[in-house]
Amino acid sequence: MMESGAHFCNSCGEQVGHDANGELFVACHECYFPICKACFEYEVNEGRKVCLRCATPYAHRAKDNDDTKAYGNQSTMAAQIDVSQDVGLHARHVSTVSTVDSELNDESGNPIWKNRVESWKEKDKKNKKKKSAPKAENEAPIPQEQQMEEIQSSEAAAAEPLSAIIPIPKTRITPYRIVIVVRLIILGLFFHYRVTNPVDSAFGLWLTSIICEIWFAFSWVLDQFPKWCPVNRDTFIDRLSARYERPGEPSQLAAVDFFVSTVDPLKEPPLITANTVLSILAVDYPVDKVSCYVSDDGAAMLTFESLVETADFARKWIPFCKKFSIEPRAPEFYFSQKIDYLKDKVQPSFVKERRAMKRDYEEFKVRINALVAKAQKTPDEGWTMQDGTSWPGNNSRDHPGMIQVFLGHSGAHDIEGNELPRLVYVSREKRPGYQHHKKAGAENALVRVSAVLTNAPFILNLDCDHYVNNSQAVREAMCFLMDPVVGRDLCYVQFPQRFDGIDRSDRYANRNTVFFDVNMKGLDGIQGPMYVGTGCVFNRQALYGYSPPSMPKLSKSSSCCCCPSKKQTKDVSELYRDAKREELDAAIFNLREIDNYDEYERSMLISQMSFEKTFGLSTVFIESTLMESGGLPESADPSMLIKEAIHVISCGYEEKTAWGKEIGWIYGSVTEDILTGFKMQCRGWRSVYCMPLRPAFKGSAPINLSDRLHQVLRWALGSVEIFFSRHCPLWYGFAGGRLKWLQRLAYINTIVYPFTSLPLVAYCTLPAICLLTGKFIIPTLSNLASALFLGLFLSIIITSVLELRWSGVTIEALWRNEQFWVIGGVSAHLFAVFQGFLKMLAGVDTNFTVTAKAAEDTEFGELYIIKWTTLLIPPTTLIVINIVGVVAGFSDALNGGYESWGPLFGKVFFAFWVIFHLYPFLKGLMGRQNRTPTVVILWSVLLASVFSLVWVKINPFISRADSSSISQTCISIDC
């Protein structure tokens, strides 16, 4: 960092200065990391013997500095990482410390609290010296050879990365990029031909087709170019263990808080939630580092009682899983595996214990199912607990906050006497008149509760129907987040979603293979994948809204990248928010440096710095935000933690704070996941996509057609809401240029794709119109036009083939994705746009009801459930009118003779394109025994008939002159 030719220390902000020879002081001759001599001596005295940037040892300074004689006595890799992170944070905020309130500044313009911070640091240094003095006297001298071996081994461990980027081979990615560019050129030539060759006899159809094709090309660019630099990643769990789990020493792995969200136990079966919780409690991770928080947003006594049973069964299940290395560690899915469970199990007692465990699990299922059966009918007086008191959550919309710790780090042991992870039940307070923000609000409540009770530096959130399929999943994420180089700027590690219970053909593209194996890999090569709502490990500090440590500050003169030389007229509010965020970052760093302080002064400073305006009125929670490495502050009173946890989940806690606006899960859309990840990456954070060989998490997908369409409708509606909000990627977050352009294109694609439904419905209707009227959208083809069409189709095919080659996706998965893109586009996406416009213009919230019919009691029986929903009408109508058009086209060709078969080919080709893409919808609509709702057939046939009759009556392709001449001809005919 240089200002006016002077070098400044990245630790204290002072000038680096000169050495004894009068030359500029350099601590590390490898990377020339700017650090002053005073800070260098402090680092050495503290036992930190490597460069903070490149991890090169300070060996060349050891001989010259007398203070470095004993610095090799204590040096673990964890300490080095903590220091590098702290210094990076300090370097980020050097000389930016200021107050939020102007009244805190004295006459000279310096903050009043700066003197307090300096005095506290002096006290801290004195206390450290007092503590270290007797320790040095009692320690026995370490032989020099042993000391050198320890140094060399620690240096070797520091040099080994915990993860590696595996780029796509050039033989696969280079042809892919070349074809993309060639396809872009062909598209330009194609549109030049289409625009310069109008069809006068069907001008309306031609103009409609041109508009649709231009939009399709635009959406293709948005979808294709973010996949320009795909990467794969590999992790080294053995190195993670060697670095942070040394024999004979306590584990240095970071703690993780798991979040599980549920609302209605009658729609989200408690048995599935129990399996998710059991798989979390049994992960291969130190038990004192794992805490599981279950959010019951419906305040259901059924969920509470099922967790009581789950906690009791966990005492048996967890030691069984860890003893025999069971995978997966969700009992329902482990016992239902159709594999040889004796493979790789050599313990003689395994078969006996497995049978006993399966019997215990069956009894556990019986108890859970009995609770579910009991909960089917609510008593008139409401539910009562075992002690006779009324259940506080009888009114799900008006109840107090509830917290119950079922398992903890002390007092709760399994059947073998080992400690168990923490399990906490949370139901936030709800009162009429308050906005609770659904899932996003529940997740923010869990953030605050976990910060007060455990405060792990990392958070992993799962839906209640997603269980841990790979017990090493947390370690996989830690290979990124705990890496001193990679993890500094990571806001989260996203895992792909995998699903159980889907038929082999996957007719409705429930697996989303193309998105998770192609698009997300492409984003990982830019700024990282987007957050998809579940299976994600967060850096808690990123959720608090801070900027990454290595991100440079926005200068006061920074402007929108579009208009760097003009005065800012846009994004002023963003710059203001960034400035306030940097002030808060700087204040938090200074407070984090202090170990010994006066309680009254600390509380005064917290209030003065407007922490309460950001995080809310909880001193305990604000104290936890100062702990970058997690853990509870020493000042926390254990007896008051539950009371404080109840306070932070009160319904009015978030009022007049930054929750849901700048920190935590962001409000404003039903797809809060996209908004949350987008805000983080706009601040400069990166994310990582982790795809272990064994899927980390698995979930249950909506398998039947109606449920799948309603899932897609919810996603599309959330994108439309973001499009009409202030967080739209088209105009949000340009200040500072922290979001890369290809990443912005990807986010734009996530919010504009529902609008593709409008041109898609029009384009799927055009073939039927052409067949019914005898007109066509393309004039007579010349040799040049034929070559352009052929080149366009070949480029589409080659792009898909090359994409399959580098991604590993199958042709069937790509075809299913293409089919459901059309099915969802002409149904769910269309209704999402319609509902979004109604909500924006008139404030009307439209709900599309779903009515289920009985399913067959067979494997994949739910696949054949037919549920009546309005979403089924548009695609059924399109199928009917295209079939009618094909029949009418062939009839005209038979009556018109040989010359009419040529023009018919192009029209029928487009009609069959629509029918083939809608075929899975037609198959799902008919079901196994043709059990289609009659109302769907009636509506579709009625719409298709009315449309055909009105079209024939109006016949817009016959001009007035032609119609008058035809009438005169008819009059002159002598009948």
Side-chain angles (χ1 to χ4, degrees):
M1 185 169 56
M2 297 179 63
E3 292 183 10
S4 65
H7 295 262
F8 292 90
C9 175
N10 267 29
S11 292
C12 64
E14 301 295 335
Q15 291 191 9
V16 172
H18 299 80
D19 57 16
N21 298 328
E23 299 178 355
L24 184 69
F25 180 81
V26 178
C28 177
H29 289 276
E30 293 292 331
C31 65
Y32 296 95
F33 184 64
I35 182 172
C36 66
K37 188 174 182 180
C39 291
F40 169 76
E41 293 175 353
Y42 177 78
E43 293 294 319
V44 172
N45 291 334
E46 290 295 314
R48 300 153 189 166
K49 61 183 181 301
V50 296
C51 175
L52 301 175
R53 174 183 288 175
C54 65
T56 302
Y58 289 137
H60 60 283
R61 289 281 175 184
K63 296 180 181 179
D64 301 332
N65 197 328
D66 295 335
D67 297 333
T68 62
K69 292 181 179 179
Y71 79 102
N73 292 344
Q74 50 176 355
S75 177
T76 62
M77 195 60 206
Q80 296 172 9
I81 292 171
D82 292 341
V83 172
S84 64
Q85 290 175 347
D86 290 345
V87 171
L89 188 65
H90 194 169
R92 175 176 38 141
H93 304 299
V94 166
S95 72
T96 64
V97 180
S98 59
T99 57
V100 178
D101 299 327
S102 59
E103 61 188 10
L104 299 178
N105 294 339
D106 57 15
E107 296 178 357
S108 61
N110 295 323
I112 294 176
W113 52 267
K114 183 177 180 180
N115 296 328
R116 298 183 185 177
V117 171
E118 294 298 332
S119 63
W120 288 341
K121 286 184 178 179
E122 291 297 329
K123 294 179 184 177
D124 187 33
K125 289 180 180 179
K126 292 179 180 179
N127 292 330
K128 285 183 177 179
K129 288 181 179 179
K130 292 180 180 178
K131 292 179 181 178
S132 60
K135 183 178 180 181
E137 295 177 359
N138 297 330
E139 286 182 354
I142 299 176
Q144 186 175 1
E145 295 180 357
Q146 180 181 351
Q147 186 177 356
M148 292 301 297
E149 290 178 359
E150 291 178 359
I151 294 174
Q152 291 176 359
S153 62
S154 63
E155 290 172 359
E160 290 184 346
L162 301 180
S163 63
I165 296 177
I166 304 176
I168 306 297
K170 292 184 178 180
T171 55
R172 296 185 179 182
I173 196 62
T174 302
Y176 177 69
R177 294 171 178 169
I178 292 174
V179 172
I180 290 176
V181 175
V182 171
R183 182 173 172 181
L184 199 60
I185 296 173
I186 293 175
L187 276 174
L189 297 175
F190 171 78
F191 284 120
H192 178 267
Y193 167 78
R194 293 283 283 128
V195 172
T196 56
N197 292 271
V199 181
D200 296 330
S201 60
F203 187 80
L205 292 180
W206 170 82
L207 183 60
T208 302
S209 66
I210 289 292
I211 296 173
C212 295
E213 290 164 1
I214 291 175
W215 180 265
F216 294 152
F218 170 70
S219 62
W220 173 79
V221 169
L222 292 179
D223 181 68
Q224 200 70 40
F225 276 88
K227 296 182 285 187
W228 187 263
C229 304
V231 297
N232 294 313
R233 295 183 185 268
D234 194 11
T235 56
F236 307 105
I237 298 180
D238 53 342
R239 297 180 185 177
L240 180 77
S241 299
R243 183 176 296 181
Y244 296 109
E245 294 182 298
R246 297 180 178 180
E249 298 181 6
S251 174
Q252 299 297 323
L253 290 174
V256 181
D257 288 338
F258 288 78
F259 292 174
V260 179
S261 301
T262 183
V263 180
D264 188 351
L266 298 180
K267 295 181 180 179
E268 300 164 338
L271 185 62
I272 299 299
T273 304
N275 273 269
T276 299
V277 172
L278 289 170
S279 68
I280 292 173
L281 298 178
V283 293
D284 184 10
Y285 209 69
V287 293
D288 59 328
K289 308 288 185 178
V290 176
S291 300
C292 179
Y293 293 84
V294 180
S295 171
D296 179 18
D297 222 29
M301 188 173 174
L302 173 57
T303 302
F304 181 86
E305 291 183 333
S306 65
L307 281 183
V308 174
E309 297 290 345
T310 302
D312 184 60
F313 180 72
R315 303 173 191 270
K316 304 176 183 178
W317 175 250
I318 294 175
F320 172 74
C321 291
K322 294 187 175 181
K323 181 178 181 180
F324 299 107
S325 300
I326 298 301
E327 294 287 359
R329 299 192 176 181
E332 180 69 23
F333 302 95
Y334 168 69
F335 289 120
S336 62
Q337 289 182 116
K338 297 179 180 179
I339 60 173
D340 182 13
Y341 64 86
L342 295 177
K343 185 178 180 181
D344 300 329
K345 299 294 186 297
V346 295
Q347 296 91 334
S349 61
F350 172 67
V351 175
K352 181 179 179 180
E353 292 191 32
R354 185 183 185 277
R355 290 174 180 171
M357 184 56 59
K358 188 173 183 179
R359 183 168 55 252
D360 290 338
Y361 178 65
E362 293 299 329
E363 294 175 356
F364 169 72
K365 289 174 62 176
V366 170
R367 293 194 296 270
I368 294 294
N369 292 332
L371 293 175
V372 174
K374 178 183 176 182
Q376 296 296 323
K377 186 177 180 180
T378 306
D380 296 335
E381 65 280 4
W383 299 106
T384 56
M385 294 184 288
Q386 293 182 353
D387 59 357
T389 59
S390 178
W391 171 247
N394 278 324
N395 187 347
S396 61
R397 298 182 179 181
D398 187 5
H399 64 85
M402 295 177 284
I403 296 178
Q404 176 66 47
V405 180
F406 290 109
L407 302 175
H409 298 312
S410 60
H413 297 84
D414 59 26
I415 57 176
E416 296 182 357
N418 301 316
E419 289 187 3
L420 291 171
R422 190 185 301 267
L423 175 61
V424 184
Y425 169 87
V426 179
S427 181
R428 57 181 173 144
E429 181 186 17
K430 286 190 175 181
R431 300 297 182 190
Y434 287 91
Q435 178 61 262
H436 299 102
H437 303 288
K438 299 181 180 178
K439 180 182 177 181
E443 295 287 349
N444 284 338
L446 288 182
V447 172
R448 297 190 294 272
V449 168
S450 62
V452 171
L453 297 181
T454 52
N455 195 35
F458 302 111
I459 294 171
L460 195 160
N461 81 300
L462 289 174
D463 290 341
C464 63
D465 59 348
H466 279 68
Y467 64 92
V468 181
N469 183 65
N470 183 351
S471 61
Q472 300 277 333
V474 183
R475 296 177 182 269
E476 296 275 356
M478 291 302 114
C479 286
F480 299 105
L481 293 168
M482 296 191 69
D483 191 296
V485 178
V486 179
R488 287 170 55 82
D489 294 341
L490 286 186
C491 54
Y492 58 83
V493 175
Q494 178 65 63
F495 290 88
Q497 292 184 18
R498 305 301 187 204
F499 301 98
D500 288 318
I502 301 176
D503 66 315
R504 183 175 300 177
S505 63
D506 190 19
R507 64 171 64 168
Y508 308 131
N510 280 290
R511 293 190 177 94
N512 283 329
T513 308
V514 174
F515 174 76
F516 287 113
D517 291 9
V518 180
N519 296 61
M520 297 289 268
K521 281 185 180 180
L523 291 177
D524 197 14
I526 309 172
Q527 199 171 344
M530 57 189 66
Y531 169 44
V532 295
T534 185
C536 187
V537 187
F538 284 97
N539 182 341
R540 187 184 285 268
Q541 294 292 310
L543 281 173
Y544 290 155
Y546 305 135
S547 301
S550 63
M551 179 57 60
K553 303 181 297 295
L554 288 175
S555 62
K556 295 181 180 179
S557 59
S558 64
S559 60
C560 177
C561 55
C562 301
C563 307
S565 61
K566 298 180 180 180
K567 293 183 178 180
Q568 291 188 33
T569 57
K570 299 192 306 180
D571 294 328
V572 175
S573 60
E574 294 177 27
L575 290 173
Y576 176 79
R577 285 194 299 272
D578 286 336
K580 292 297 183 185
R581 180 59 52 197
E582 289 180 1
E583 291 174 356
L584 191 59
D585 286 354
I588 284 180
F589 171 75
N590 282 279
L591 291 178
R592 195 180 282 129
E593 286 290 290
I594 303 165
D595 293 337
N596 299 280
Y597 49 83
D598 182 81
E599 290 288 346
Y600 176 74
E601 290 182 335
R602 181 64 170 264
S603 61
M604 288 277 295
L605 184 57
I606 286 175
S607 178
Q608 289 173 352
M609 286 306 303
S610 294
F611 282 88
E612 295 177 350
K613 295 180 182 178
T614 303
F615 296 114
L617 300 175
S618 172
T619 306
V620 176
F621 174 75
I622 295 173
E623 290 271 355
S624 69
T625 64
L626 308 179
M627 314 286 290
E628 185 181 5
S629 299
L632 299 178
E634 296 180 0
S635 60
D637 185 2
S639 62
M640 299 296 292
L641 290 183
I642 292 295
K643 182 179 179 180
E644 194 67 24
I646 291 291
H647 168 58
V648 298
I649 60 173
S650 59
C651 55
Y653 182 83
E654 295 183 355
E655 288 191 348
K656 297 181 180 180
T657 67
W659 284 102
K661 302 172 185 176
E662 298 296 328
I663 63 176
W665 270 256
I666 306 302
Y667 305 148
S669 171
V670 295
T671 53
E672 70 288 331
D673 47 1
I674 296 178
L675 266 182
T676 303
F678 175 64
K679 292 274 286 188
M680 290 181 182
Q681 294 188 335
C682 282
R683 297 188 190 106
W685 290 95
R686 292 184 60 256
S687 57
V688 162
Y689 197 50
C690 184
M691 296 181 64
L693 294 178
R694 180 179 180 85
F697 310 102
K698 281 190 174 182
S700 302
I703 194 171
N704 62 74
L705 179 61
S706 302
D707 286 345
R708 174 67 167 140
L709 288 178
H710 273 266
Q711 182 192 57
V712 174
L713 171 64
R714 186 177 63 85
W715 294 344
L717 179 59
S719 296
V720 174
E721 289 175 345
I722 297 174
F723 180 83
F724 290 120
S725 71
R726 70 182 184 91
H727 291 118
C728 178
L730 287 170
W731 51 74
Y732 181 85
F734 278 96
R738 296 179 175 181
L739 191 67
K740 296 185 179 180
W741 276 103
L742 289 181
Q743 193 81 9
R744 186 175 295 278
L745 286 182
Y747 276 109
I748 291 174
N749 187 41
T750 62
I751 57 105
V752 302
Y753 78 89
F755 297 96
T756 306
S757 60
L758 301 175
L760 186 60
V761 170
Y763 212 74
C764 290
T765 310
L766 287 177
I769 297 175
C770 293
L771 287 168
L772 289 173
T773 60
K775 307 295 180 180
F776 200 36
I777 58 176
I778 300 174
T780 303
L781 294 178
S782 61
N783 293 333
L784 176 61
S786 301
L788 287 175
F789 276 96
L790 181 62
L792 183 60
F793 281 109
L794 286 177
S795 65
I796 293 173
I797 295 173
I798 295 174
T799 303
S800 301
V801 170
L802 293 176
E803 197 170 88
L804 296 178
R805 190 167 174 239
W806 66 256
S807 65
V809 176
T810 62
I811 297 178
E812 183 182 16
L814 184 68
W815 174 237
R816 291 302 186 196
N817 180 78
E818 186 75 15
Q819 286 179 313
F820 200 80
W821 174 73
V822 176
I823 296 171
V826 300
S827 57
H829 298 173
L830 181 66
F831 279 84
V833 174
F834 172 73
Q835 187 173 353
F837 274 110
L838 281 181
K839 190 173 183 179
M840 181 193 67
L841 298 176
V844 179
D845 193 2
T846 308
N847 293 319
F848 304 98
T849 58
V850 179
T851 304
K853 294 190 176 182
E856 296 181 0
D857 190 16
T858 59
E859 186 178 13
F860 308 121
E862 290 187 5
L863 183 67
Y864 307 103
I865 294 179
I866 298 299
K867 298 181 179 181
W868 158 243
T869 173
T870 319
L871 301 178
L872 301 178
I873 294 178
T876 309
T877 304
L878 287 175
I879 290 177
V880 171
I881 64 173
N882 276 279
I883 293 176
V884 171
V886 170
V887 174
F890 276 103
S891 300
D892 292 342
L894 290 173
N895 295 329
Y898 178 78
E899 294 180 355
S900 59
W901 286 96
L904 177 66
F905 174 76
K907 305 172 188 177
V908 172
F909 173 81
F910 283 108
F912 275 110
W913 181 90
V914 176
I915 294 172
F916 286 155
H917 277 78
L918 293 176
Y919 171 72
F921 173 83
L922 181 62
K923 190 174 181 180
L925 192 66
M926 295 302 176
R928 179 172 290 177
Q929 298 178 355
N930 298 331
R931 299 173 302 169
T932 303
T934 306
V935 66
V936 174
I937 299 297
L938 291 177
W939 269 101
S940 303
V941 173
L942 178 63
L943 289 175
S945 302
V946 171
F947 173 79
S948 302
L949 291 174
V950 170
W951 189 270
V952 172
K953 178 66 177 176
I954 298 175
N955 202 357
F957 296 99
I958 299 180
S959 62
R960 294 182 179 180
D962 294 338
S963 60
S964 60
S965 61
I966 290 174
S967 61
Q968 292 176 1
T969 303
C970 293
I971 293 173
S972 62
I973 295 176
D974 187 2
C975 298

